[in-house]
Amino acid sequence: MKILIARLNHETNTYSPVATPLESFSPRYGAQGYRAAKGTRTAAGAFIDLAEAVGAEIVVPVIAGANPSGRVAADAYTHLTDTIVAAAAGCDAVMLDLHGAMVAENSDDGEGELLQRLRQVLPDAPIAVALDLHGNITQPLIDHADIAVSFKTYPHIDMYETGEHAGRLLLEMIAGRVRPVMAWRRPPLVTHTLRSRTDEGAMQRAVALAKEAEKGGMLAVSILAGFGLADIPAPCISVIVVGDGDRRKADEVAERIAAQIWEEREGFTYRPDPLPTSIAMAAAAANATAEHRPVLLLDHGDNCMSGGTCDDMAVLHEALAQGLDGIAVGPVCDPEAVAQLIAAGVGASVTLNVGDKVAAPQLSVYPESKPLSGKVTAISDGEYVISGPTYTGQRIRMGRTVLLDTGAAKVIVTETPQEHWDLGIFTHIGVDPHAARFLILKSRMYCRPVFVPIAKSVIECDSEGVTSSRYEMFPFRNVSRPVYPLDKDTAWSASAG
């Protein structure tokens, strides 16, 4: 048996000014791709383990993934998908590790179009797809995949398990032990990412229903919150049910879960406090007890893993304006400032503009960079190894990194945008996050498994960057209306599909 295994991951924020060329994906081809995926806690890693366990011949055309950013460059999308399709001829089955919310300059449905092309080459071969919980599902994906399974955790710590689930069903299908059929519902509901965490609220209850339905006989049930910062026809929540031969039963499950989601639609919306209010809350939290643990200020309006620039300085400047001190913040992505700080050298006292240099024309945001004064206290290569539960063991390369100490704040400045996967983002350059009074993190969720345990409080801060939760900031032109919460009077019935 010959199985094609590929990984192509990108969550596209169509409002992000961060470019997504081919090099952003760090593509690995053939044997290099196999080695890049083998042994990883990804869906592709699980696919390889499953295929090897049954003695299959494995074809790995490409393993590629990029951090969330703007639309994928047309030539990058064409090249990567062409590479996968070209390798499909002669394969008996396909296992794909996809995101589900890829938008390219030449495609509003990156995954759906890829699957459609694969199906033309392999009209009868079974295709299994592992998806991110934030995938935006479309009809072509449902039409051309035999099996689709998404993560059930956010933060995502079940990537490998999701791949194992999807791949195992594919092998059971080939063996004739199951007959997968898929049912799908997509309520007109654009969720907020901060309401897709799976440890509380409406999303937790929806995922619990999915798990219950799997125990009740469904082969797989997935709740995909969607990714609302994509200006496409339906960046909406979805329910995908994979049944065993009985489409009617699968359809009933999809309808029932989607109906509950729609009934609880307000629970999938998030309304942030004004930034000055959030900073005042953080100050109060820090002073509430004598316990010396940091208060986390999560700058979710400039979140790297949703397409943020990591360049917005609103949270830090507001914190300084309100007199907060003992702050550690970073990474702030500013290659120009990094170069200037390195030229000044360790020990130098400097005044220079940091951050607020990247415009977001689609949102009519043209920031004005402000100066910071301080001492250059450390310079590093910006590398550390993740010890936390997500991407454990992966080496992170942030580019050249500098620590600027202003007295009130220790500011880590890097050459690239970065997520807070690990305490190493601070400790690698000599900053002890436990010793800070306040930690400003440009993160929504991935920081939580590592940073929440050391914190006395968590305050969510909306800097109104390109990953803001304020949907009124975003000029949605392609979204099919009405849709909740953009249109409060939206009506929908799960029985209507």
Side-chain angles (χ1 to χ4, degrees):
M1 181 164 54
K2 188 176 182 180
I3 300 177
L4 185 151
I5 296 173
R7 185 170 196 258
L8 180 54
N9 263 243
H10 189 254
E11 180 180 76
T12 306
N13 179 338
T14 61
Y15 300 98
S16 173
V18 180
T20 317
L22 180 62
E23 52 265 31
S24 295
F25 288 88
S26 301
R28 299 291 183 268
Y29 305 96
Q32 286 189 343
Y34 167 86
R35 289 193 294 271
K38 173 67 175 173
T40 63
R41 294 285 302 168
T42 63
F47 291 157
I48 289 173
D49 289 346
L50 287 166
E52 290 184 335
V54 298
E57 177 185 350
I58 300 173
V59 176
V60 181
V62 67
I63 298 293
N67 281 345
S69 49
R71 284 179 178 263
V72 177
D75 59 350
Y77 176 74
T78 298
H79 166 73
L80 292 169
T81 54
D82 281 355
T83 299
I84 294 171
V85 173
C91 291
D92 300 298
V94 177
M95 298 179 180
L96 295 177
D97 179 348
L98 305 177
H99 185 284
M102 177 184 286
V103 183
E105 293 172 342
N106 53 341
S107 173
D108 277 355
D109 184 10
E111 291 84 0
E113 290 192 16
L114 170 61
L115 285 164
Q116 188 171 22
R117 292 181 62 196
L118 281 171
R119 185 56 74 195
Q120 290 170 353
V121 176
L122 301 172
D124 301 315
I127 298 176
V129 181
L131 296 164
D132 191 285
L133 177 142
H134 294 104
N136 292 324
I137 303 306
T138 62
Q139 191 66 53
L141 187 146
I142 298 299
D143 288 343
H144 301 297
D146 296 285
I147 297 159
V149 184
S150 77
F151 307 156
K152 284 186 171 66
T153 62
Y154 182 50
H156 308 315
I157 56 173
D158 63 337
M159 293 178 283
Y160 183 94
E161 290 76 9
T162 299
E164 193 280 333
H165 192 168
R168 172 171 43 83
L169 290 180
L170 180 139
L171 294 176
E172 291 181 357
M173 177 185 177
I174 292 172
R177 291 190 290 268
V178 298
R179 295 183 297 121
V181 293
M182 289 208 296
W184 172 49
R185 289 292 186 278
R186 186 179 63 194
L189 169 59
V190 180
T191 72
H192 285 95
T193 305
L194 278 167
R195 287 293 179 260
S196 60
R197 54 188 297 184
T198 53
D199 61 346
E200 66 177 20
M203 188 64 178
Q204 182 187 49
R205 290 187 288 275
V207 171
L209 282 180
K211 293 178 179 178
E212 180 183 325
E214 289 177 346
K215 291 178 181 178
M218 295 298 107
L219 298 177
V221 182
S222 300
I223 314 297
L224 297 101
F227 184 62
L229 298 179
D231 190 16
I232 58 176
C236 298
I237 195 167
S238 284
V239 179
I240 299 177
V241 177
V242 183
D244 188 2
D246 191 331
R247 192 178 301 276
R248 180 184 59 82
K249 285 186 179 179
D251 208 55
E252 288 174 355
V253 172
E255 183 175 318
R256 174 168 52 83
I257 297 176
Q260 173 172 307
I261 289 172
W262 185 246
E263 183 68 22
E264 291 198 77
R265 57 191 177 277
E266 185 60 27
F268 290 92
T269 64
Y270 176 85
R271 292 175 177 80
D273 292 316
L275 182 56
T277 301
S278 298
I279 299 302
M281 292 168 59
N287 296 324
T289 67
E291 180 186 22
H292 189 80
R293 300 174 73 188
V295 174
L296 301 186
L297 287 78
L298 303 188
D299 182 7
H300 61 89
D302 188 23
N303 171 27
C304 166
M305 292 307 288
S306 291
T309 62
C310 287
D311 163 79
D312 191 300
M313 299 293 284
V315 175
L316 176 60
H317 286 310
E318 181 62 31
L320 295 174
Q322 292 196 28
L324 275 59
D325 59 13
I327 301 167
V329 56
V332 175
C333 178
D334 188 339
E336 179 184 51
V338 167
Q340 292 175 308
L341 292 166
I342 290 175
V346 172
S349 295
V350 297
T351 296
L352 77 167
N353 289 1
V354 177
D356 284 331
K357 296 175 181 176
V358 181
Q362 290 193 74
L363 303 182
S364 299
V365 172
Y366 300 92
E368 181 179 344
S369 187
K370 299 177 182 178
L372 291 177
S373 296
K375 180 178 287 187
V376 180
T377 55
I379 298 171
S380 84
D381 61 6
E383 296 190 13
Y384 69 92
V385 176
I386 297 174
S387 60
T390 307
Y391 297 122
T392 309
Q394 181 172 318
R395 177 168 290 275
I396 296 299
R397 296 175 173 85
M398 301 189 292
R400 295 183 303 170
T401 299
V402 182
L403 179 62
L404 175 66
D405 191 341
T406 72
K410 295 180 178 180
V411 185
I412 296 174
V413 191
T414 62
E415 292 185 307
T416 62
Q418 293 291 329
E419 175 59 69
H420 289 80
W421 304 113
D422 197 84
L423 298 179
I425 208 164
F426 290 102
T427 59
H428 93 281
I429 200 165
V431 177
D432 180 3
H434 299 84
R437 293 188 71 224
F438 303 94
L439 288 174
I440 299 178
L441 311 181
K442 290 182 173 295
S443 180
R444 273 198 179 104
M445 201 61 62
Y446 292 111
C447 65
R448 295 181 192 246
V450 174
F451 284 88
V452 169
I454 74 169
K456 68 163 61 176
S457 185
V458 178
I459 307 295
E460 293 164 348
C461 301
D462 190 349
S463 59
E464 298 191 0
V466 297
T467 69
S468 172
S469 295
R470 301 179 188 274
Y471 282 158
E472 61 270 23
M473 290 174 50
F474 299 88
F476 292 101
R477 297 185 176 91
N478 299 312
V479 173
S480 298
R481 312 292 284 265
V483 63
Y484 194 85
L486 306 184
D487 306 295
K488 297 296 185 182
D489 58 350
T490 304
W492 182 76
S493 170
S495 61

